[in-house]
Amino acid sequence: MLKRCAPETVQAQPVVELVLALGSNYQADKYLPLARQQLAALGEVRLSTAFQNPDFTATLEQPKPDYTNQCVHLVLTTPVSLQQLQQTFRTLEGDCHRCRQTKPNQVRRVTMDIDILMVKLADKENSLSKDSIFKSMSDWIVMADRYPFKAHEEAGVKELILTKL
């Protein structure tokens, strides 16, 4: 039902709405609100419930901290290219003191991770009306590199769709 595209195929396209996955395994109570505040400066934000999940890469030999994950539906005030959004989110991660480099066997602390799950392009009919959100799912493009969604992402997207937050 949903179209899947590799992000690079729509890099230059203007985006009007998107669904993001936020994640933090270090001081989530500090960094999730900061990220949400900065996202709200870009447009209208709707949130799913925040879920606490174990790191699926953890093992008994190498335990890892749990993640707090949340999905965000963002209706942009102004259309922005996917490429620009990716850079904006990378900057936002940096504003949250994200450190991408770790030493071998060091537990990775992720203050903020922002992944784009789905986008709606500007050439599709768009409305800021809460009643029309997700009305036509065929207008949405799923980022192929993020699909299939992880369980917490799927739960967050479903919650946003069902509650039309």
Side-chain angles (χ1 to χ4, degrees):
M1 172 169 143
L2 294 173
K3 287 184 282 190
R4 280 185 259 168
C5 288
E8 54 274 8
T9 64
V10 289
Q11 283 288 321
Q13 299 289 331
V15 173
V16 293
E17 292 183 58
L18 57 160
V19 176
L20 306 170
L22 306 182
S24 175
N25 73 356
Y26 182 73
Q27 295 185 354
D29 56 334
K30 174 181 177 180
Y31 292 111
L32 280 171
L34 178 60
R36 291 188 299 250
Q37 178 184 11
Q38 290 188 12
L39 290 170
L42 300 174
E44 187 177 340
V45 171
R46 292 171 188 81
L47 306 169
S48 74
T49 302
F51 300 98
Q52 190 164 0
N53 305 293
D55 185 326
F56 69 92
T57 65
T59 63
L60 289 175
E61 299 78 32
Q62 191 171 24
K64 297 179 181 178
D66 289 349
Y67 271 85
T68 302
N69 300 102
Q70 186 170 41
C71 286
V72 177
H73 173 234
L74 175 59
V75 179
L76 297 169
T77 305
T78 305
V80 179
S81 75
L82 182 60
Q83 186 174 27
Q84 290 172 306
L85 287 167
Q86 289 168 324
Q87 184 56 49
T88 297
F89 299 148
R90 197 166 177 89
T91 299
L92 198 155
E93 289 172 341
D95 291 347
C96 291
H97 310 290
R98 168 123 187 221
C99 180
R100 293 186 180 276
Q101 295 163 355
T102 59
K103 297 173 185 167
N105 298 324
Q106 179 183 13
V107 173
R108 197 171 88 165
R109 290 183 175 172
V110 179
T111 56
M112 181 51 50
D113 181 46
I114 303 173
D115 294 311
I116 299 172
L117 301 179
M118 299 168 33
V119 298
K120 187 185 262 188
L121 302 178
D123 64 342
K124 300 293 182 186
E125 190 174 321
N126 181 40
S127 169
L128 295 178
S129 166
K130 290 184 181 185
D131 294 332
S132 69
I133 292 167
F134 298 111
K135 197 172 195 176
S136 176
M137 291 304 294
S138 64
D139 292 345
W140 288 86
I141 298 171
V142 175
M143 297 294 95
D145 62 339
R146 297 299 306 169
Y147 195 81
F149 296 145
K150 295 175 182 164
H152 61 272
E153 294 168 342
E154 185 174 332
V157 169
K158 283 181 179 178
E159 180 181 343
L160 289 171
I161 292 168
L162 292 174
T163 60
K164 296 182 183 176
L165 288 176

